[in-house]
Amino acid sequence: MGIRFILMVNKQGQTRLAQYYEYLTIEERRALEGEIVRKCLARTEQQCSFVEHRNYKIVYRRYASLFFLVGVDNEENELAILEFIHLLVETMDRHFGNVCELDIMFHLEKAHFMLEEMVMNGCIVETSKSNILGPIQLLEKAS
Amino acid sequence: MAGGPSLMDSLFQRSLEDLIKGLRLHNLAAGTAAGTPESSTFVSKSIDEVRREIKSTDQQTKTTALQKLTYLHSLYAIDMSWAAFHAIELSSSTIFNSKRTGYLAASISFNSSTDVILLLTHQLRKDLNSGNPHEVSLALQTLSSICTPDLARDLTPELFTLLNSNKGFIKKKAIATVLRVFELYPDSVRVCFKRLVENLENADVGIVSAIVGVFCELANKEPRSYLPLAPEFYRILVDSRNNWVLIKVLKIFAKLVPLEPRLGKRVVEPICEHLRRTGAKSLAFECIRTIVCSLTQHELAVKLAAEKIREFLTEDDPNLKYLGLQALAAIAPKSLNAVVENKEVVIKSLSDEDVNIKFEALRLVMAMVSEDNVAEICRVLINYALKSDPEFCNEILGSILSTCSRNYYETIVDFDWYVSLLGEMARVPHCQKGEEIENQLVDIGMRVRDVRPEVVHVGRDLLIDPALLGNSFIHRILSAAAWVSGEYVEFCKNPFELMEALLQPRTNLLPPSVRAVYIQSAFKVLTFSAYFYFYPEEALAASISEVGESVHNGWCEQSSDSVSGQTVTFSEPDEGFNPRMLHQPQKDASGNDGKKMISDLEQVSSCSVKMGHFTKDCLVGMVNLVESTLRPMAGSHEVEIQDRVKNVLGLIELIRQEIHGCLVPKEEENDRGELKACEIVRVMHNALSEELGPVSLSAQGRVPLPDGLELKENLSDLEAICGDFRIPVLSSFSLEKPRSLEKDVVTVSDQQNEEECEPSSESTSLLTEHRKRHGIYYLPSEKKEKVPNDYPPANDLSMQDKVNDEADYLVKLTEKSLVPKKKPIAKPRPVVVKLDDGDRIHINEKLTELKEDLISDAVQEVLLGNQAVASSSRTDKSDKSSNRRSRKEAFRPLESNADSTTVEIAELGNKNSRRIKHRTHGKERSHRSSKKATGESDRSDRPSSSHPHGKHKSRQRADGMENVAAESPVIPDFLL
């Protein structure tokens, strides 16, 4: 199913956003997040952005204090996922204006809606920033 | 007041922002967030608030409460299943924001076990039919994330309509949702598949991207069914300039090409073109991956891919380096050249600072291993292992061990070298692979006769090093060393030294199980020595026959000396001798008998070393040494140790008797008519020198059934007594199977077992038949087969030889397989290479098979679903390729309400053929066949249009058949 989950974690290891595309129980999620975060946060900038964990491949990237972690199938193209992460950040950047951890904390719903526009069922369905933000901006105007 | 929501709650409700601020404060105070959130009072207080507020009748209050709960759930993993109903309630709100919150909560927290999920069906249907596209989009998003089989079934019609939506972003989401619905409700494929296919021609990049994503997932599970769509994918591959789309299409082709080699010829050029022109690394990498995985027959493409991989490897970006190494690993089996060219980078990467890159490099290095370079590579790796951190060190050792032992050590030609490598590994400081090394040492000792002297030599070196005893990680290795030294003591150059090593004081550091092995080995050594002393001639003869002459030429001279009763002469040169021992002056040992341990030690080490020079003093010295060491352990609490010590002490008693009676000539002793101690020693020696072979997994089943043991009755009684425990009983039956095969004495009259027996014996004979014909490819399994021969059955050795034909056959087989096993060094190289080759293909096949097995049953149903309707007697071959078409055919009854359906299908057919004509540039045959295809589908369509509402199963079947015939030539023509 391509993307299995998307996590945003700050450098203290606190989860800031978690979106799963397959069902895991709360305990499983907690365990998984803990393991992955421990693995990825320990890595340095000079190391590559791919980590294999259980049956996932984790592609991650750090932006300022925030780590974007995407768990994918083994079949998935790692570099494309890196580009996807970048696209996600750019989109948020455009919407929030110089996005930071706090923006995501306080606008978690919006972040979820952006993700929903971009990814459905683990497949990337939209890659145009204006298309992604269209519905959200419309809603903001309305309210 | 109590519990109920009040106006006060609504007025002074904490907003989501307040909650978040509160959480932050709290978190900062607590330090960590990931601890146990429930325990924090703030969180539990907030949840209590939410519980109260969510019951409010005020929409806004309710929405905020749910928002807060969703927040807590998604970030702090708070359970929110109790609020499921409230989420559903809000999803029906007229306020869009509340609806959105309700749906978001549902999509985040619902799963298939949420029982109220069915209540959502109605609301979802309503929203899917809504005039507001944003509501539709919300409903689609929710459906795609929480879909259940029931929802999928109930909402398929709505989804079908939305697939034709004129709004791009709705259509796109409908497409993405379809994938999930297909999985859960395979019947929906019949309804929606055609519209899905139509969308492949859509001009909108977003839609194509979504649809390609869906097909990529589908093809991942069962690629064969999508072969007929290859022309559409090809068009996208050539025309599209969107990297996301191209990557997905490449993935699809990577799956399709292996199924249809002609497809490879068509797509290889466009793929290379993309690879050459693209600046995007992601696309470039996907092209490379497709080539190295699926297009390896196309040399130019592989060459190009290798070039690009090289570019990746020379980049500074660790990501590209990592991927480059991965790609290299994939290309390694086909083009070793590419790997060799980049050898330097690979080896350098072994010391990369990134652990992942190191691992990848290691995998790659191991992939390069062949007979010719295995020694060199292992040398390099061991050096790395010595320098690197414990984790990677063990990774290296582990991969050396697993690579070298692969397929019964197929890469190893020089076993002497390998065994000494194993010994060397044991001395690597971080080594934690004791168990694996132990297994291999013992395994090689048993399987490879020629290497035994070296095994014993390595074992001796390990045993005599007192420093090693302190490292608990290598106790297992020492156990193996002790075992081989005892088992193959006849190759030992100096049994006294060995005995000393086995009994050295520091062995008390060993765990009891290993210690027991040590003592058992000491027992074997003692038996051997005693035997040699009592029967020098026999021992000599035996050793000559057993031991390769090259090793023991020196032996014969020595032994013949002792046979003729000469005294020891140390000046005699002998390559086999331990030099240290050689140059020691001989002491007079007779005086010190059994006084002190130290003096024993001295005496023993000063004794003449060779078996050939066995003297009474030596034996007495050894006996005393053993006794003084082991006597105290007879009271050990460890039963294993105690047991073995008692054995040794018993043996010592025997030997003592014999030695003291030795003054009397042997012939006279025999007159006494008693069973002599030396006789017992002989018997024991013979028993111990019985060769042990490797034990196969099925060995248990081959143990012949002892007379008078009536398993059948016992077990049927058992079954009668405890019917509840059927399963264990049955499993014990299955253990019997192999034996009953061999012996043809099916004692088990159980009906089921007989049934099971039949096919397995048949397949076994088929297997042996095949094995006979393709013997060389079967080397490893034959070795396994040979086990029964080596493995002495517990009761009756001869039984096995005179059983029926099948057993004879097995024996014959094993005789054949003995040859390669005895002389592994002489194993012809080409055979091994072929083995390797065959192995790889085999693995590939297995992989795909596995994949197919793993495909959800749902998809299987999707693909074969209307087989039952269309035709049950269709041949296998046309089966799969025709699936899609036949599926299309099945749409008709469902669609026939819309009058245009049949026309649509005809049009589709026309479009197909037009495209194909266009592309095949007027090849006569393709014209004809595609025309024929159109014609036929037209013909078959016509009657159905005259009966728009007809639901004739028979006609449907006919249509299916015709179209199968019509469709199948269309695709191959494209491919040609």
Side-chain angles (χ1 to χ4, degrees):
Chain A
M1 80 146 78
I3 297 176
R4 312 272 212 101
F5 58 82
I6 298 172
L7 293 176
M8 295 183 200
V9 178
N10 70 8
K11 60 182 176 194
Q12 284 84 38
Q14 295 165 315
T15 309
R16 288 299 176 220
L17 182 146
Q19 172 78 56
Y20 290 85
Y21 296 98
E22 63 185 347
Y23 178 69
L24 295 176
T25 65
I26 288 178
E27 290 72 32
E28 286 168 338
R29 287 184 188 193
R30 236 184 235 171
L32 183 72
E33 284 172 29
E35 291 163 18
I36 291 173
V37 166
R38 222 172 303 128
K39 252 190 188 174
C40 294
L41 265 58
R43 296 170 61 79
T44 66
E45 295 274 334
Q46 286 78 44
Q47 300 182 333
C48 72
S49 313
F50 318 120
V51 178
E52 279 174 29
H53 182 72
R54 297 204 207 161
N55 48 344
Y56 303 111
K57 212 157 47 182
I58 318 286
V59 181
Y60 73 95
R61 198 159 189 175
R62 183 179 168 170
Y63 287 89
S65 64
L66 212 52
F67 284 84
F68 289 72
L69 307 136
V70 180
V72 294
D73 277 343
N74 271 321
E75 302 277 316
E76 201 55 59
N77 185 312
E78 295 90 340
L79 294 171
I81 295 297
L82 274 183
E83 280 172 38
F84 164 77
I85 292 176
H86 193 65
L87 175 73
L88 176 64
V89 174
E90 277 183 347
T91 311
M92 290 188 176
D93 221 34
R94 183 187 282 194
H95 184 74
F96 294 113
N98 219 347
V99 65
C100 69
E101 193 185 332
L102 286 183
D103 288 321
I104 294 168
M105 274 183 77
F106 283 99
H107 303 281
L108 186 66
E109 264 196 329
K110 269 188 205 156
H112 271 295
F113 291 136
M114 279 180 218
L115 274 182
E116 280 185 349
E117 291 293 330
M118 296 175 77
V119 184
M120 271 184 81
N121 203 9
C123 295
I124 296 170
V125 290
E126 184 58 76
T127 52
S128 139
K129 269 170 265 180
S130 45
N131 284 353
I132 297 167
L133 293 175
I136 295 167
Q137 279 158 354
L138 215 67
L139 278 176
E140 283 196 335
K141 248 182 245 166
S143 59
Chain B
M1 255 332 245
S6 66
L7 184 64
M8 294 294 278
D9 281 333
S10 309
L11 276 179
F12 297 102
Q13 188 184 23
R14 232 194 269 255
S15 72
L16 177 60
E17 200 170 323
D18 294 336
L19 174 78
I20 296 169
K21 281 180 180 155
L23 282 171
R24 285 194 78 200
L25 262 176
H26 181 84
N27 281 343
L28 288 178
T32 55
T36 47
E38 290 99 333
S39 64
S40 103
T41 49
F42 180 79
V43 173
S44 56
K45 219 177 90 191
S46 307
I47 293 173
D48 287 343
E49 278 172 15
V50 167
R51 275 181 192 275
R52 218 167 340 112
E53 291 159 12
I54 210 165
K55 291 184 194 132
S56 163
T57 48
D58 177 47
Q59 292 272 332
Q60 197 49 53
T61 313
K62 207 182 177 76
T63 307
T64 307
L66 192 60
Q67 273 176 342
K68 289 197 280 188
L69 188 59
T70 310
Y71 187 90
L72 287 171
H73 170 75
S74 73
L75 293 196
Y76 295 87
I78 303 293
D79 174 52
M80 69 177 288
S81 54
W82 53 271
F85 185 71
H86 297 288
I88 292 177
E89 243 182 342
L90 274 181
S91 70
S92 65
S93 167
T94 48
I95 304 166
F96 187 77
N97 215 21
S98 300
K99 186 191 275 293
R100 206 173 62 162
T101 305
Y103 272 135
L104 179 64
S107 64
I108 283 183
S109 67
F110 284 15
N111 60 65
S112 52
S113 61
T114 309
D115 44 3
V116 292
I117 205 165
L118 278 179
L119 298 177
L120 200 59
T121 317
H122 175 66
Q123 188 56 42
L124 278 172
R125 181 179 292 134
K126 209 173 137 196
D127 286 331
L128 286 175
N129 287 322
S130 162
N132 179 350
H134 294 290
E135 284 181 357
V136 179
S137 142
L138 259 186
L140 279 174
Q141 277 161 6
T142 312
L143 183 62
S144 80
S145 49
I146 63 167
C147 198
T148 64
D150 286 339
L151 282 177
R153 188 193 57 223
D154 295 341
L155 297 174
T156 297
E158 277 74 21
L159 205 57
F160 174 69
T161 319
L162 288 174
L163 279 177
N164 234 3
S165 166
N166 51 7
K167 293 202 171 51
F169 80 103
I170 299 289
K171 199 180 213 177
K172 194 175 63 191
K173 287 184 180 177
I175 292 169
T177 311
V178 155
L179 177 61
R180 189 72 187 271
V181 172
F182 278 6
E183 270 167 24
L184 294 168
Y185 180 60
D187 282 351
S188 62
V189 170
R190 295 186 195 147
V191 184
C192 303
F193 198 81
K194 200 192 70 179
R195 287 213 168 154
L196 211 55
V197 173
E198 282 169 7
N199 279 317
L200 273 173
E201 289 163 42
N202 203 302
D204 184 340
V205 177
I207 290 174
V208 175
S209 159
I211 194 107
V212 170
V214 168
F215 276 112
C216 182
E217 293 303 318
L218 289 173
N220 218 351
K221 286 169 183 151
E222 166 65 78
R224 196 171 286 281
S225 321
Y226 306 95
L227 262 180
L229 289 173
E232 275 84 353
F233 296 138
Y234 180 81
R235 189 181 46 78
I236 295 173
L237 178 69
V238 174
D239 294 345
S240 179
R241 280 294 168 269
N242 181 304
N243 289 347
W244 300 94
V245 173
L246 285 174
I247 287 172
K248 290 287 177 189
V249 169
L250 283 171
K251 282 189 182 301
I252 296 175
F253 275 117
K255 292 276 182 276
L256 296 186
V257 166
L259 302 173
E260 179 52 272
R262 287 173 295 177
L263 193 55
K265 284 181 202 144
R266 282 305 289 261
V267 297
V268 68
E269 200 33 55
I271 291 178
C272 289
E273 188 52 39
H274 281 305
L275 183 52
R276 273 186 220 108
R277 76 158 179 89
T278 186
K281 296 285 183 212
S282 54
L283 180 58
F285 182 64
E286 199 57 50
C287 291
I288 292 172
R289 184 140 66 182
T290 310
I291 291 172
V292 299
C293 294
S294 306
L295 292 166
T296 43
Q297 292 90 345
H298 305 269
E299 277 177 30
L300 282 176
V302 171
K303 216 174 143 198
L304 180 65
E307 266 171 45
K308 292 284 173 182
I309 291 173
R310 202 174 163 76
E311 280 176 29
F312 270 49
L313 286 175
T314 47
E315 298 262 0
D316 281 336
D317 185 348
N319 290 340
L320 297 183
K321 203 170 180 184
Y322 176 75
L323 294 177
L325 289 173
Q326 266 192 344
L328 212 51
I331 213 173
K334 292 112 192 180
S335 163
L336 207 62
N337 231 5
V339 184
V340 174
E341 274 173 27
N342 295 302
K343 204 173 170 184
E344 205 180 320
V345 185
V346 175
I347 298 290
K348 257 189 211 154
S349 305
L350 276 177
S351 45
D352 199 277
E353 57 185 312
D354 185 346
V355 141
N356 290 355
I357 291 183
K358 283 202 289 194
F359 276 43
E360 210 53 53
L362 178 61
R363 252 178 257 176
L364 195 50
V365 171
M366 291 337 285
M368 285 195 270
V369 167
S370 72
E371 275 175 44
D372 309 323
N373 59 14
V374 62
E376 182 200 354
I377 286 179
C378 288
R379 172 70 25 233
V380 171
L381 286 180
I382 292 277
N383 285 340
Y384 266 104
L386 286 169
K387 281 185 284 181
S388 58
D389 57 301
E391 192 200 358
F392 191 58
C393 167
N394 281 299
E395 192 66 30
I396 291 178
L397 296 183
S399 49
I400 292 178
L401 288 169
S402 62
T403 308
C404 290
S405 64
R406 196 173 49 207
N407 241 334
Y408 300 87
Y409 313 96
E410 67 174 1
T411 47
I412 307 293
V413 176
D414 183 358
F415 274 92
D416 285 352
W417 160 80
Y418 185 59
V419 168
S420 59
L421 182 77
L422 287 177
E424 203 176 323
M425 279 188 203
R427 291 168 192 271
V428 172
H430 300 302
C431 175
Q432 294 171 12
K433 296 284 173 190
E435 196 174 341
E436 182 58 29
I437 297 177
E438 175 198 25
N439 291 340
Q440 291 198 11
L441 269 178
V442 173
D443 194 47
I444 292 176
M446 287 191 297
R447 286 180 194 282
V448 191
R449 199 181 285 259
D450 288 351
V451 80
R452 281 174 193 167
E454 181 64 17
V455 172
V456 170
H457 178 70
V458 168
R460 167 202 168 268
D461 287 352
L462 290 171
L463 288 175
I464 61 169
D465 188 348
L468 294 179
L469 286 163
N471 180 353
S472 64
F473 285 118
I474 59 171
H475 284 166
R476 302 289 301 265
I477 306 173
L478 292 177
S479 160
W483 188 85
V484 291
S485 308
E487 183 62 27
Y488 306 117
V489 61
E490 67 266 23
F491 299 106
C492 182
K493 288 172 188 153
N494 187 344
F496 303 98
E497 182 192 47
L498 178 62
M499 187 60 101
E500 260 178 73
L502 288 172
L503 298 176
Q504 61 182 293
R506 272 173 70 92
T507 52
N508 61 9
L509 296 169
L510 293 170
S513 59
V514 178
R515 211 146 182 218
V517 176
Y518 266 62
I519 297 168
Q520 184 67 13
S521 290
F523 179 71
K524 287 176 184 168
V525 175
L526 189 59
T527 313
F528 178 78
S529 306
Y531 174 72
F532 216 103
Y533 172 68
F534 294 133
Y535 302 99
E537 304 93 340
E538 276 178 36
L540 198 67
S543 70
I544 290 169
S545 70
E546 248 181 63
V547 178
E549 282 175 31
S550 57
V551 186
H552 289 274
N553 271 341
W555 255 57
C556 310
E557 296 167 26
Q558 294 282 321
S559 322
S560 58
D561 285 348
S562 88
V563 170
S564 57
Q566 283 178 7
T567 47
V568 188
T569 48
F570 271 92
S571 56
E572 206 175 302
D574 188 330
E575 319 137 86
F577 262 46
N578 184 333
R580 185 167 63 93
M581 300 298 179
L582 257 177
H583 301 299
Q584 267 177 1
Q586 188 183 17
K587 285 184 189 169
D588 179 36
S590 57
N592 295 337
D593 262 3
K595 287 281 150 67
K596 268 185 187 177
M597 186 156 162
I598 300 164
S599 65
D600 286 342
L601 285 173
E602 258 175 41
Q603 178 205 346
V604 166
S605 56
S606 66
C607 248
S608 70
V609 169
K610 273 313 230 184
M611 289 91 177
H613 304 278
F614 243 87
T615 64
K616 182 184 169 190
D617 294 341
C618 294
L619 187 62
V620 167
M622 182 188 269
V623 165
N624 289 335
L625 166 69
V626 174
E627 190 178 15
S628 57
T629 322
L630 292 186
R631 183 70 73 187
M633 284 163 67
S636 167
H637 293 302
E638 290 295 335
V639 68
E640 293 282 310
I641 294 180
Q642 197 188 8
D643 186 25
R644 284 171 172 76
V645 168
K646 287 273 163 67
N647 285 344
V648 179
L649 294 177
L651 178 66
I652 286 175
E653 288 306 311
L654 278 174
I655 296 173
R656 277 264 161 74
Q657 278 178 21
E658 190 64 29
I659 292 172
H660 294 310
C662 227
L663 301 168
V664 196
K666 274 178 191 168
E667 295 84 63
E668 289 174 32
E669 266 179 44
N670 282 340
D671 295 340
R672 288 185 209 159
E674 291 170 20
L675 187 56
K676 293 290 151 329
C678 57
E679 283 296 323
I680 295 174
V681 168
R682 188 218 297 261
V683 169
M684 277 197 326
H685 172 78
N686 288 344
L688 288 177
S689 58
E690 195 77 60
E691 185 160 326
L692 297 176
V695 182
S696 89
L697 290 176
S698 56
Q700 172 80 49
R702 296 182 204 279
V703 179
L705 191 72
D707 291 337
L709 179 60
E710 288 286 345
L711 280 178
K712 170 196 114 189
E713 282 170 19
N714 287 342
L715 290 176
S716 56
D717 282 354
L718 252 181
E719 205 170 10
I721 294 165
C722 41
D724 297 335
F725 298 108
R726 245 163 193 282
I727 298 160
V729 169
L730 278 177
S731 75
S732 70
F733 270 139
S734 69
L735 262 181
E736 303 285 313
K737 258 192 291 170
R739 193 213 47 228
S740 54
L741 275 181
E742 213 173 330
K743 286 198 62 197
D744 210 15
V745 196
V746 188
T747 46
V748 194
S749 68
D750 186 42
Q751 181 74 23
Q752 193 193 345
N753 193 38
E754 272 178 20
E755 275 171 15
E756 276 176 17
C757 244
E758 276 285 292
S760 67
S761 77
E762 199 181 304
S763 63
T764 317
S765 62
L766 273 177
L767 196 71
T768 42
E769 187 67 33
H770 188 263
R771 181 169 288 160
K772 211 160 112 193
R773 219 177 300 145
H774 306 281
I776 44 169
Y777 300 109
Y778 267 100
L779 210 63
S781 40
E782 271 178 0
K783 272 185 183 167
K784 220 186 267 172
E785 283 297 323
K786 87 174 289 307
V787 165
N789 209 21
D790 275 359
Y791 180 68
N795 288 313
D796 193 354
L797 190 75
S798 57
M799 279 247 346
Q800 241 187 0
D801 296 331
K802 49 182 176 188
V803 275
N804 63 24
D805 303 359
E806 268 187 49
D808 281 344
Y809 187 62
L810 269 175
V811 172
K812 242 188 271 168
L813 269 181
T814 56
E815 273 169 8
K816 256 187 274 170
S817 65
L818 260 170
V819 179
K821 196 194 129 190
K822 258 190 199 162
K823 296 201 161 185
I825 293 166
K827 208 192 318 184
R829 200 158 282 163
V831 174
V832 179
V833 171
K834 270 179 191 164
L835 239 179
D836 199 7
D837 218 345
D839 227 22
R840 206 176 60 233
I841 290 162
H842 192 64
I843 284 164
N844 281 345
E845 276 171 8
K846 247 194 196 159
L847 267 180
T848 48
E849 264 174 29
L850 247 175
K851 274 248 170 82
E852 273 175 356
D853 281 348
L854 287 176
I855 301 165
S856 57
D857 289 344
V859 175
Q860 200 60 38
E861 270 179 59
V862 171
L863 304 169
L864 304 174
N866 59 338
Q867 218 76 64
V869 185
S871 154
S872 51
S873 61
R874 212 177 283 157
T875 60
D876 252 351
K877 206 182 164 193
S878 64
D879 222 342
K880 292 210 165 163
S881 62
S882 65
N883 272 336
R884 190 181 62 94
R885 170 51 65 153
S886 51
R887 210 183 302 131
K888 277 188 187 170
E889 286 306 308
F891 302 153
R892 197 162 306 136
L894 281 153
E895 293 165 22
S896 55
N897 294 333
D899 282 358
S900 60
T901 316
T902 46
V903 184
E904 260 177 44
I905 288 179
E907 264 176 17
L908 188 77
N910 276 330
K911 256 187 253 165
N912 266 337
S913 59
R914 221 180 301 135
R915 252 202 325 277
I916 285 149
K917 267 185 233 167
H918 181 68
R919 225 169 277 136
T920 45
H921 297 294
K923 272 188 193 164
E924 274 293 322
R925 202 153 53 91
S926 71
H927 265 296
R928 235 182 294 133
S929 63
S930 52
K931 266 181 200 157
K932 199 174 117 204
T934 341
E936 266 190 36
S937 64
D938 277 344
R939 220 185 311 131
S940 62
D941 286 334
R942 222 163 282 134
S944 73
S945 58
S946 60
H947 304 281
H949 298 282
K951 326 161 177 70
H952 316 294
K953 286 218 161 144
S954 58
R955 188 174 49 73
Q956 236 182 67
R957 197 175 297 145
D959 283 354
M961 296 296 277
E962 267 176 339
N963 271 298
V964 168
E967 180 79 355
S968 34
V970 171
I971 301 314
D973 272 343
F974 156 73
L975 297 167
L976 286 167

